[in-house]
C-alpha cells in the first residue's frame, strides 16, 4: 500500500467540457458540474463507498461528514434569500450560516457576499450545483490556527512595562479576540490571568484554549483593556460572522489568528475585505501573518516547459493523464522534494493570478488549466488535483490532502503541470504552499518566504498583519530575527486575464489590468511568551506550575501582542478618536528596525 489519497480532483469524466470560444462569446453555457471541486467529489465518493464513519476519519480536516452529509460552502451570485434557502432545504440540505444574516455594524460598508454554510447529502451535490443562482461550491474545511512548535516576556521587548509605568494600560479600549475556542476562561480568571469581566460571545469545538491564551497575552500588555471573545467557527461564513459579532458588540481593536489557504491568493477575498472595511470604520485589526514561511515555493510564471517531473523517462502510474508540461518552480527545478514520515498528512494548495470563482469575482474562472500532483520517487502519482479551467470558467485553485500510511518514511515531490490554455492574455503567476496537517512533513528543497502570507490577510493598507520573533531569545529588537516559519508578503493583487467588463465565462479573455503590491507583514511582535496553558494549551508543561513552564509559539501569539501594544498607543493618542490608519502610522514610526531579513516589518514598541 503506497499511502492513502484523501482528496482527488474530479477526473476528466467527472467534469463537463469547458467550451471552446469563437470570437468574444461562447456558443453555450457549460454544464454545472464545473462548480463542484475536487475535494467535494472525492468526499462524496468516499461516503458512498466507505460509509460516513470511515470517510469522516479519512477527512479529519473536513467540518462535516456524517449521516447528514458533507460540509459545503455554497457561493451565490448575490446575498442568499429565504426562498433560495428553501430551495436548498427541499434538496435535503441543512443551512447553518447565511452571510446575508450577520450582525449589523452601523456605518460600516461590509461586503454583502452570497455565501451560506451548509451540510449537503452526498448524493445531492449535482442538484445543488445545478441551481441557477449557485456560482460555485467549496468544501467546508476547518481553518487552521497559526500555532508554532504568568507575565508575557513580550512586555519588556515591546517596552509595555515602561508605558504602563507612565499610566498607559489600555484603558478605554475593548479588544476583541477571535480564534478557535476559549473553553477554560473561568480557570484563567481564577488564576489571575484574565479579568473577571472577560466577555464570551460564542464558542466552537476545537478542543483547545488558544483564544484564552491570546486574551492572556493582550491582558499582560494592556491590563485595563476590556476583553471579549468570539469563535471563528468552522467555516469562512463563521469567520466573517465573528468579525461582525465583535464589531457589533463594541470592539475597538480586533485580533485574530485563522488561516484559510483557499481564500484568494491574488485578490482580496471576503475575509480580508471584511477586516479592511472594519478598519476603515474605526476598528483597528491585526491578523497573524501565518506560519508557512518554510512551506512556500517562489511565485513564478506558470509556464509549461514540455518536461516530465525531474525529466523522468519511465512510466507514470496512477496518474489520470501523463505529466508532460511541468512548470519550473525554482530555477530549472520543476519539483519540490518532501519527506513524509509515517502517518504524516500534508495539504498542498495551488492558486494562480486569474479570477477565482468565489468573492470578489464570484462565478468567474480561469483561462490557464493547471494541475497539481504529488508523485513518489519513481514518478507514480500519490495524489492529484486536476479540475478544469478554460475561457473564464472553473475555479483557479487545485488542492488535495494526502496521508502517508505505508508505515515507513515516504519521499514525495510536488509538481505543477500546464494542461492547456484558452484565450489567456498573459502567463499567470502561481502561488504554491503546503501545510502540515500533522507532524512529520519535512521539506527538503529550499523555500521562499516571499508571498507566503495567509491569503485571508491580503490587506491593502487599513488592517494589519503581524510576523513573529521569539521572546525567549530576543534581547534587542534591532537584532531580533523573524521566526523561520513566520510568513511574509508582499501582498500581490494581480489578474493577468479576465472576461470583458464584469462578464462571466465562457468568454474571450482580455488583459486583467494594473497589478498592485503592498508590503507585509505590517509589524513584528513576540511569540514564545508564557501563558497559563489552561485547556491545556501551549508548549511545555501546560497548565503551568511555575512561570515559563508553558509557552505560546507562532504568529498566533504575535497578533495579540501587537493588539496589546496598539491598545496602549491608542489610549496615549486620544482613545478611539485616533483612526486605525493614523494609529498604524504611529506604530510603524515607533517600530524598531531590525538588521537582516526584515521584510519591512520593525519590532513594535509601546513608547
Amino acid at each position: 500500500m503506497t499511502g492513502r489519497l484523501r482528496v482527488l480532483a474530479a477526473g476528466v469524466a467527472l467534469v463537463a467540457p469547458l467550451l471552446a470560444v469563437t470570437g468574444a462569446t461562447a456558443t453555450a453555457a457549460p454544464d454545472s458540474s464545473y462548480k463542484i471541486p475536487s475535494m467535494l467529489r472525492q468526499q462524496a465518493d468516499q461516503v458512498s463507498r466507505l460509509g460516513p464513519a470511515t470517510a469522516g476519519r479519512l477527512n479529519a480536516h473536513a467540518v462535516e461528514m456524517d449521516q447528514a452529509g458533507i460540509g459545503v460552502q455554497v457561493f451565490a451570485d448575490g446575498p442568499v434569500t429565504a426562498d433560495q434557502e428553501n430551495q436548498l432545504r427541499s434538496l435535503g440540505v441543512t443551512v447553518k450560516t447565511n452571510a446575508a444574516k450577520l450582525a449589523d455594524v452601523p456605518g460600516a460598508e461590509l461586503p454583502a457576499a452570497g455565501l451560506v454554510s451548509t451540510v449537503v447529502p452526498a448524493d445531492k451535490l449535482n442538484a445543488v450545483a445545478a441551481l441557477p443562482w449557485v456560482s460555485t461550491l467549496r468544501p467546508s474545511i476547518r481553518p487552521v490556527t497559526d500555532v508554532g512548535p504568568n507575565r508575557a516576556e513580550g512586555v519588556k521587548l515591546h517596552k509595555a512595562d515602561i508605558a504602563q509605568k507612565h499610566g498607559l494600560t489600555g484603558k478605554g479600549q475593548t479588544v476583541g479576540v477571535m480564534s478557535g475556542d476559549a473553553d477554560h476562561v473561568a480557570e484563567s480568571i481564577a488564576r489571575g490571568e484574565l479579568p473577571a469581566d472577560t466577555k464570551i460571545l460564542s464558542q466552537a469545538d476545537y478542543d483547545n484554549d488558544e483564544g484564552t491564551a491570546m486574551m492572556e497575552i493582550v491582558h499582560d500588555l494592556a491590563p485595563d483593556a476590556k476583553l471579549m471573545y468570539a469563535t471563528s467557527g468552522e467555516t469562512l461564513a463563521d469567520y466573517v460572522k465573528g468579525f461582525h459579532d465583535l464589531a457589533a458588540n463594541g470592539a475597538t481593536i480586533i485580533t485574530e489568528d485563522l488561516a484559510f489557504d483557499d481564500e484568494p491568493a491574488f485578490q482580496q477575498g471576503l475575509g480580508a475585505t471584511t477586516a479592511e472595511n472594519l478598519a476603515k470604520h474605526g476598528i483597528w485589526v491585526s491578523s497573524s501573518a501565518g506560519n508557512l514561511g518554510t512551506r512556500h515555493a517562489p511565485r513564478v510564471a506558470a509556464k509549461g516547459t514540455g518536461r516530465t517531473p525531474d525529466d523522468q523517462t519511465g512510466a507514470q502510474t496512477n496518474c489520470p493523464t501523463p505529466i508532460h508540461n511541468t512548470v519550473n518552480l525554482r530555477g530549472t527545478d520543476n519539483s519540490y522534494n518532501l519527506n513524509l514520515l509515517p502517518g504524516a498528512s500534508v495539504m498542498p494548495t495551488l492558486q494562480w493570478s486569474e479570477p477565482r470563482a468565489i468573492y470578489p469575482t464570484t462565478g468567474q474562472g480561469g483561462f490557464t488549466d493547471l494541475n497539481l500532483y504529488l508523485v513518489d520517487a519513481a514518478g507514480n502519482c500519490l495524489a492529484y488535483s486536476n479540475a478544469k479551467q478554460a475561457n473564464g470558467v472553473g475555479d483557479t485553485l487545485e488542492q488535495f490532502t494526502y496521508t502517508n500510511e505505508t508505515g515507513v518514511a515516504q519521499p514525495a515531490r510536488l509538481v505543477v503541470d500546464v494542461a492547456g490554455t484558452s484565450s489567456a492574455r498573459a502567463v499567470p503567476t502561481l502561488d504554491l504552499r503546503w501545510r502540515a496537517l500533522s507532524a512529520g512533513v519535512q521539506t527538503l528543497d529550499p523555500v521562499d518566504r516571499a508571498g507566503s502570507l495567509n491569503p485571508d490577510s491580503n490587506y491593502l493598507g487599513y488592517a494589519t498583519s503581524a510576523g513573529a520573533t521569539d521572546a525567549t531569545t530576543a534581547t534587542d529588537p534591532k537584532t531580533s530575527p523573524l521566526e523561520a516559519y513566520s510568513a511574509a508578503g508582499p501582498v500581490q493583487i494581480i489578474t493577468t486575464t479576465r472576461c470583458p467588463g464584469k462578464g462571466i465565462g465562457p468568454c474571450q479573455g482580455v488583459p486583467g489590468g494594473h497589478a498592485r503590491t503592498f508590503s507585509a507583514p505590517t509589524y513584528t511582535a513576540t511569540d514564545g511568551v508564557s501563558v497559563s496553558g489552561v485547556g491545556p494549551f501551549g508548549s511545555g508543561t501546560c497548565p503551568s506550575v511555575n512561570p515559563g513552564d508553558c509557552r505560546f509559539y507562532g504568529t498566533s501569539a504575535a497578533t495579540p501582542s501587537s493588539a496589546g501594544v496598539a491598545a496602549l498607543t491608542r489610549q496615549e493618542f486620544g482613545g478611539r478618536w485616533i483612526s486605525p490608519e493614523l494609529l498604524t502610522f504611529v506604530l510603524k514610526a515607533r517600530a524598531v528596525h531590525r538588521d537582516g531579513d526584515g521584510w519591512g516589518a520593525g519590532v513594535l514598541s509601546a513608547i
Side-chain angles (χ1 to χ4, degrees):
M1 183 169 162
T2 60
R4 187 176 299 278
L5 170 61
R6 295 176 67 186
V7 177
L8 286 175
V12 174
L14 294 176
V15 178
L18 300 177
L19 302 177
V21 174
T22 302
T25 59
T27 57
D31 187 272
S32 61
S33 62
Y34 75 93
K35 302 176 186 178
I36 306 174
S38 306
M39 283 189 175
L40 286 179
R41 287 198 177 278
Q42 179 63 17
Q43 289 172 358
D45 177 65
Q46 289 177 335
V47 169
S48 176
R49 291 186 298 105
L50 306 174
T54 302
R57 178 180 64 82
L58 296 177
N59 292 272
H61 63 285
V63 170
E64 199 95 27
M65 188 169 290
D66 54 26
Q67 297 290 347
I70 55 182
V72 178
Q73 300 286 286
V74 179
F75 286 84
D77 53 12
V80 177
T81 66
D83 179 63
Q84 290 168 337
E85 282 191 20
N86 288 333
Q87 291 178 40
L88 292 172
R89 293 188 181 97
S90 71
L91 296 173
V93 174
T94 300
V95 177
K96 301 178 71 176
T97 304
N98 184 344
K101 299 179 179 179
L102 302 182
D104 184 37
V105 183
E109 295 182 3
L110 301 181
L115 171 62
V116 287
S117 177
T118 69
V119 179
V120 178
D123 61 350
K124 295 297 183 182
L125 286 176
N126 287 326
V128 172
L131 294 172
W133 53 270
V134 171
S135 297
T136 195
L137 307 179
R138 289 289 307 152
S140 293
I141 304 173
R142 175 176 281 193
V144 295
T145 51
D146 289 315
V147 182
N150 331 351
R151 184 169 176 82
E153 292 79 356
V155 169
K156 184 174 182 180
L157 190 68
H158 294 307
K159 299 183 179 179
D161 53 343
I162 300 175
Q164 290 171 11
K165 290 179 182 178
H166 286 81
L168 298 177
T169 59
K171 186 176 181 179
Q173 298 301 305
T174 299
V175 180
V177 174
M178 185 162 60
S179 185
D181 57 18
D183 292 331
H184 293 76
V185 167
E187 185 177 339
S188 181
I189 292 172
R191 292 170 64 114
E193 301 283 359
L194 285 177
D197 61 353
T198 300
K199 186 176 181 180
I200 305 299
L201 301 181
S202 57
Q203 291 278 26
D205 184 20
Y206 273 66
D207 296 325
N208 70 38
D209 267 80
E210 188 160 340
T212 306
M214 290 175 68
M215 287 190 288
E216 289 178 0
I217 292 172
V218 175
H219 184 60
D220 281 335
L221 278 85
D224 285 337
K226 300 293 184 182
L227 295 173
M228 68 170 62
Y229 179 81
T231 181
S232 63
E234 297 185 321
T235 66
L236 179 61
D238 296 333
Y239 174 68
V240 174
K241 181 180 184 298
F243 274 119
H244 280 250
D245 289 346
L246 290 171
N249 281 275
T252 58
I253 291 172
I254 294 176
T255 177
E256 62 87 22
D257 72 333
L258 280 298
F260 289 83
D261 293 342
D262 60 350
E263 274 282 85
F266 294 102
Q267 299 169 295
Q268 192 174 65
L270 182 58
T273 302
T274 299
E276 289 260 271
N277 286 9
L278 287 174
K280 294 176 185 178
H281 179 61
I283 300 172
W284 189 85
V285 176
S286 172
S287 296
S288 54
N291 290 359
L292 294 187
T294 55
R295 294 195 175 103
H296 185 263
R299 285 185 165 178
V300 297
K303 183 177 181 179
T305 62
R307 298 169 55 202
T308 59
D310 295 330
D311 299 312
Q312 171 198 346
T313 57
Q316 300 171 355
T317 63
N318 300 322
C319 301
T321 55
I323 310 171
H324 59 79
N325 196 23
T326 58
V327 175
N328 283 336
L329 299 174
R330 188 182 65 263
T332 58
D333 196 339
N334 63 359
S335 69
Y336 257 92
N337 284 284
L338 310 178
N339 187 48
L340 306 178
L341 299 181
S345 294
V346 64
M347 182 173 71
T349 303
L350 171 68
Q351 299 193 53
W352 55 104
S353 58
E354 294 173 351
R356 289 291 309 277
I358 62 175
Y359 182 91
T361 48
T362 308
Q364 300 184 30
F367 299 83
T368 305
D369 188 4
L370 300 184
N371 294 331
L372 178 62
Y373 297 88
L374 185 70
V375 299
D376 64 15
N380 304 314
C381 286
L382 302 173
Y384 58 87
S385 180
N386 68 336
K388 299 293 182 180
Q389 300 85 24
N391 299 317
V393 173
D395 198 7
T396 53
L397 179 142
E398 301 289 354
Q399 185 180 54
F400 58 76
T401 66
Y402 175 79
T403 299
N404 173 18
E405 296 187 348
T406 64
V408 297
Q410 185 175 44
R413 294 172 290 162
L414 284 170
V415 177
V416 176
D417 192 70
V418 181
T421 62
S422 56
S423 71
R425 297 301 300 270
V427 177
T429 300
L430 65 78
D431 180 273
L432 175 62
R433 59 188 65 210
W434 48 99
R435 184 173 295 277
L437 299 178
S438 65
V441 178
Q442 301 173 333
T443 301
L444 304 182
D445 285 333
V447 294
D448 191 353
R449 192 198 304 261
S452 59
L453 187 80
N454 287 339
D456 47 285
S457 296
N458 273 358
Y459 298 144
L460 308 180
Y462 292 93
T464 69
S465 56
T469 186
D470 187 353
T472 67
T473 59
T475 57
D476 183 352
K478 290 183 180 180
T479 59
S480 176
L482 282 174
E483 295 275 27
Y485 50 72
S486 187
V491 175
Q492 293 178 292
I493 305 300
I494 310 172
T495 303
T496 42
T497 305
R498 61 175 177 82
C499 286
K502 295 183 179 180
I504 294 178
C507 72
Q508 186 77 29
V510 300
H514 181 66
R516 293 178 289 169
T517 301
F518 295 82
S519 63
T522 318
Y523 327 98
T524 301
T526 48
D527 75 342
V529 297
S530 297
V531 292
S532 70
V534 295
F537 172 83
S539 298
T541 301
C542 307
S544 63
V545 178
N546 302 302
D549 282 351
C550 184
R551 295 186 181 273
F552 187 178
Y553 287 92
T555 56
S556 284
T559 181
S561 296
S562 68
V565 175
L568 300 179
T569 307
R570 204 170 202 182
Q571 179 191 359
E572 178 186 1
F573 282 84
R576 66 181 306 161
W577 298 108
I578 180 175
S579 70
E581 193 173 15
L582 181 55
L583 176 57
T584 297
F585 175 83
V586 172
L587 290 169
K588 291 176 72 172
R590 286 180 166 181
V592 180
H593 173 74
R594 279 169 311 155
D595 297 328
D597 185 13
W599 301 96
V603 177
L604 284 171
S605 176
I607 61 170

